[in-house]
Short mmCIF file of all heavy atoms in Angstrom, two decimals:
data_model
loop_
_atom_site.label_atom_id
_atom_site.label_comp_id
_atom_site.label_asym_id
_atom_site.label_seq_id
_atom_site.Cartn_x
_atom_site.Cartn_y
_atom_site.Cartn_z
N VAL S 379 -5.33 1.19 5.11
CA VAL S 379 -5.06 2.51 5.70
C VAL S 379 -5.50 3.57 4.71
O VAL S 379 -5.45 3.35 3.49
CB VAL S 379 -3.58 2.68 6.06
CG1 VAL S 379 -3.18 1.78 7.20
CG2 VAL S 379 -2.67 2.44 4.84
N ALA S 380 -5.95 4.69 5.23
CA ALA S 380 -6.41 5.79 4.37
C ALA S 380 -5.67 7.06 4.77
O ALA S 380 -6.14 7.82 5.63
CB ALA S 380 -7.91 5.98 4.51
N PRO S 381 -4.50 7.31 4.18
CA PRO S 381 -3.72 8.49 4.53
C PRO S 381 -4.31 9.76 3.89
O PRO S 381 -4.93 9.72 2.83
CB PRO S 381 -2.33 8.19 3.96
CG PRO S 381 -2.35 6.76 3.54
CD PRO S 381 -3.78 6.43 3.24
N ALA S 382 -4.06 10.88 4.56
CA ALA S 382 -4.26 12.19 3.92
C ALA S 382 -2.96 12.52 3.17
O ALA S 382 -2.29 11.60 2.70
CB ALA S 382 -4.60 13.21 4.99
N VAL S 383 -2.63 13.78 3.04
CA VAL S 383 -1.45 14.16 2.24
C VAL S 383 -0.17 13.76 2.97
O VAL S 383 0.07 14.20 4.11
CB VAL S 383 -1.46 15.67 1.94
CG1 VAL S 383 -0.18 16.03 1.18
CG2 VAL S 383 -2.68 16.05 1.14
N VAL S 384 0.63 12.94 2.34
CA VAL S 384 1.92 12.52 2.84
C VAL S 384 2.99 13.09 1.94
O VAL S 384 2.86 13.12 0.71
CB VAL S 384 2.01 10.97 2.87
CG1 VAL S 384 3.40 10.51 3.30
CG2 VAL S 384 0.94 10.42 3.79
N LYS S 385 4.06 13.57 2.53
CA LYS S 385 5.11 14.24 1.77
C LYS S 385 5.95 13.22 0.97
O LYS S 385 6.94 12.70 1.45
CB LYS S 385 5.99 15.06 2.71
CG LYS S 385 5.27 16.24 3.33
CD LYS S 385 6.08 16.92 4.39
CE LYS S 385 7.35 17.53 3.83
NZ LYS S 385 8.11 18.28 4.87
N THR S 386 5.48 12.97 -0.23
CA THR S 386 6.18 12.09 -1.18
C THR S 386 6.14 12.73 -2.55
O THR S 386 5.39 13.69 -2.80
CB THR S 386 5.48 10.72 -1.29
OG1 THR S 386 4.17 10.90 -1.84
CG2 THR S 386 5.35 10.05 0.07
N LYS S 387 6.95 12.21 -3.46
CA LYS S 387 6.96 12.73 -4.82
C LYS S 387 5.59 12.58 -5.47
O LYS S 387 5.13 13.45 -6.21
CB LYS S 387 8.04 12.00 -5.66
CG LYS S 387 8.23 12.59 -7.05
CD LYS S 387 9.37 11.91 -7.76
CE LYS S 387 9.56 12.50 -9.16
NZ LYS S 387 9.84 13.95 -9.15
N PHE S 388 4.91 11.47 -5.17
CA PHE S 388 3.59 11.21 -5.74
C PHE S 388 2.59 12.31 -5.40
O PHE S 388 1.73 12.67 -6.20
CB PHE S 388 3.06 9.86 -5.23
CG PHE S 388 1.70 9.49 -5.72
CD1 PHE S 388 1.52 8.96 -7.00
CD2 PHE S 388 0.59 9.65 -4.91
CE1 PHE S 388 0.26 8.59 -7.45
CE2 PHE S 388 -0.68 9.30 -5.36
CZ PHE S 388 -0.84 8.77 -6.64
N ALA S 389 2.70 12.87 -4.18
CA ALA S 389 1.72 13.85 -3.71
C ALA S 389 2.20 15.29 -3.81
O ALA S 389 1.51 16.20 -3.33
CB ALA S 389 1.35 13.53 -2.27
N GLU S 390 3.34 15.52 -4.44
CA GLU S 390 3.92 16.88 -4.44
C GLU S 390 2.95 17.95 -4.93
O GLU S 390 2.93 19.07 -4.41
CB GLU S 390 5.17 16.91 -5.31
CG GLU S 390 6.42 16.48 -4.61
CD GLU S 390 7.65 16.55 -5.51
OE1 GLU S 390 7.48 16.69 -6.75
OE2 GLU S 390 8.76 16.46 -4.97
N ALA S 391 2.14 17.61 -5.94
CA ALA S 391 1.24 18.61 -6.51
C ALA S 391 0.23 19.13 -5.49
O ALA S 391 -0.35 20.21 -5.67
CB ALA S 391 0.52 18.04 -7.72
N LEU S 392 0.02 18.37 -4.42
CA LEU S 392 -1.00 18.74 -3.44
C LEU S 392 -0.47 19.70 -2.38
O LEU S 392 -1.24 20.26 -1.60
CB LEU S 392 -1.55 17.49 -2.75
CG LEU S 392 -2.26 16.50 -3.64
CD1 LEU S 392 -2.68 15.26 -2.88
CD2 LEU S 392 -3.47 17.13 -4.35
#
Side-chain angles (χ1 to χ4, degrees):
V379 292
V383 177
V384 176
K385 293 172 63 176
T386 65
K387 186 174 180 61
F388 179 79
E390 275 181 347
L392 299 176

